Amino acid sequence: MGRTIVVVGGVAGGASCAARLRRLDESARIVVLERGEHVAFASCGLPYFISGEIEEGHKLMVTTPERFTRRFGIDVRIRHEAITIDRQRKSVQVVDHQSGQTYALSYDKLVLSPGAAPLRPGLPGAGDERIFTLRTIDDAERIRAYIESNDPHTAVVVGGGFIGLEMTESLAHLGLHVTLIELTDQVMTSLDLEMAEWIHQHLRMNGIELMLGQGVEQFAVSGDGSLLVSTSYGNRVNCDLAILAMGVKPEAELARQAGLRLGPLGGIRVNEHLQTNDPDIYAIGDAIEVQDGILGVPRRIPLANLANRQGRLAADHICGKEISYANAYGTSVIRVFDLTVASTGVNEKHLAAEGVPYRKSYTHPASHAGYYPGAVPMVMKLLFAPDTGRIFGGQIVGIDGVDKRIDVLATAIQMGATVSDLARLELAYAPPFGTAKDAINIAGYVASNVLEGDLEIAHAEEVECWLAKGAFLLDVRTVGEFHRGHLDGAVNIPIDEIRSRLTELPVNKTLVVYCLTGIRSYFVCRLLRQHGYRALNLSGGYMIYCAMYPNRCDGIPGLHRWKRALALETFCSTPEERSVVRRNTK
Ligand code: FAD
């Protein structure tokens, strides 16, 4: 028998690491210690098990301890918890929760993949048995059993991150009336606020009561026996069950007690080989801090894709391969009812907070060719360097085709690509799947136009400032669109009348031009520029303006409602094309 490698934690990172270790080293003794009952299960599927979309719990088990042992010759010890590490002796103290006995286990190399635990702040009344958190299969089974035996009608979900949104959708899917309470002014903080506004609107459209900008202050039992949730705004919500999804905390205590260094965010600090400050101890997954690939600052990114890759890389390094895990980008995707919401890289809030100069552009490309049935728009935000055009981050909200676009963006960012590279990319195309100029190319064209000075843009938040400086606000949509809602102070000249009405435009003023999405206004800006005007295109058009200032626009219409208008605007120049799109977007 060769050296002994002990892995603490047997789920995403730990199981991935142990299996890779065996593939690289047949002679090693590999021991996996797992505190819980299961190894290698799909935490990410838990919300869909609760909703019933995944009917049987066993489908979430990627493998069982027995199969893991049989297939890989790995010593898997469930209900065994590592309680201390003696770095001098290179040994782990373990408690066997089945027998209650403790024992010492020596290692040559130790891998820590203990994950992160749901935050459960000590709010008054939070001990009520109808209040749940979700991390393990047992948690999911408890929630499902509670729902099956108590037939609840109402639920409160606390926290609008990944798990909170997935649980909101799952409970609504089961027919519960759900209130989602979020402390900040938006759900999904990996996105910027105006992009999250589509999620807010979509949640409300699906009957979710959304309470933003307020924290839960206490739980109590109301007169009728239901759970009473009070918020910092003084709101009180009665419900039959509550889910706490307020974030996670790295399980770093074992590491801390062993004198391993933690980072500023409370996660275990590792180098590019995923080693802690003790070179014989590696750490991976939700418990560690990673370096942000754009900003270079420490970040905690509790996602399964990172944990799995880190598990493999740590095994590679233990087995003598050269690896470098320098950066992470937080690429993520989530379904929220009909929406797909995805992001990669860094968002505008973080760039601004770190004082990094950036530019941004918005586009509303179609998921696939508009003349092919089922085309729907998406909202895409791109952030990039003002000098080189290097892509810093991307955010996409849409109904279809979002996942593949975010993965192209994620790949591009990780390769250090610029917005001009996006414009040049050759991507697959056929009408059911995309457009001849793919959504990614379009984002690249628009950003490159901005960067190369072919197009000057203004952003929604700058409009008032431009008006104060005497700018002329020009709406180039149809008269009907204009009357349904427009920016204060705008003058309407529909795009097709611009050439004949040029004399109505002031030559000595800056023109801020907008339409629904920024496409028609782009054409107009190019035209005006060639006639000697200074014309700025409102990036993302009226749609982004409304997302930024929903109160000034009576909220933002959903992408579903806008899909016909967008399709018409985006694809049609002839009446025949318009009638095809009308038929396809009924
Ligand atoms: P875990 O998978 O949590 O495994 C850690 C294990 O270590 C635990 O089983 C724990 O019992 C064990 N352990 C801890 N301390 C000890 C000890 N001292 N001794 C022995 N064992 C110990 N990520 C995505 O990318 N996409 C998604 O869609 C997604 N959805 C999610 C949905 C839910 C409901 C949850 C809970 C998570 C989701 N995630 C998702 C996150 C993803 O599951 C985690 O990022 C990933 O599981 C982290 O892997 P890990 O190995 O670091 O920790």
Side-chain angles (χ1 to χ4, degrees), residues 237-260:
V237 188
N238 281 89
C239 63
D240 300 324
L241 82 115
I243 307 284
L244 299 185
M246 303 163 81
V248 294
K249 182 174 183 288
E251 292 220 34
E253 193 49 26
L254 182 66
R256 195 190 63 77
Q257 280 181 4
L260 301 177

Side-chain angles (χ1 to χ4, degrees), residues 8-9 11-13 33-35 43-44 82 113-115 135 285-286 302-304 307:
V8 175
V11 187
L33 301 172
E34 169 52 53
R35 184 176 59 197
S43 341
C44 310
S113 186
R135 179 182 183 186
D286 288 3
L303 288 174

Side-chain angles (χ1 to χ4, degrees), residues 101-157:
Q101 288 183 338
T102 57
Y103 62 93
L105 180 64
S106 299
Y107 63 82
D108 295 296
K109 300 283 178 193
L110 177 64
V111 181
L112 302 179
S113 186
L119 289 173
R120 206 174 166 131
L123 294 170
D128 192 293
E129 60 182 16
R130 294 166 290 183
I131 302 173
F132 301 90
T133 54
L134 179 61
R135 179 182 183 186
T136 64
I137 291 197
D138 292 347
D139 295 335
E141 280 172 343
R142 259 194 300 277
I143 297 171
R144 208 163 130 157
Y146 178 83
I147 292 171
E148 278 164 12
S149 42
N150 293 281
D151 190 25
H153 293 99
T154 51
V156 163
V157 174

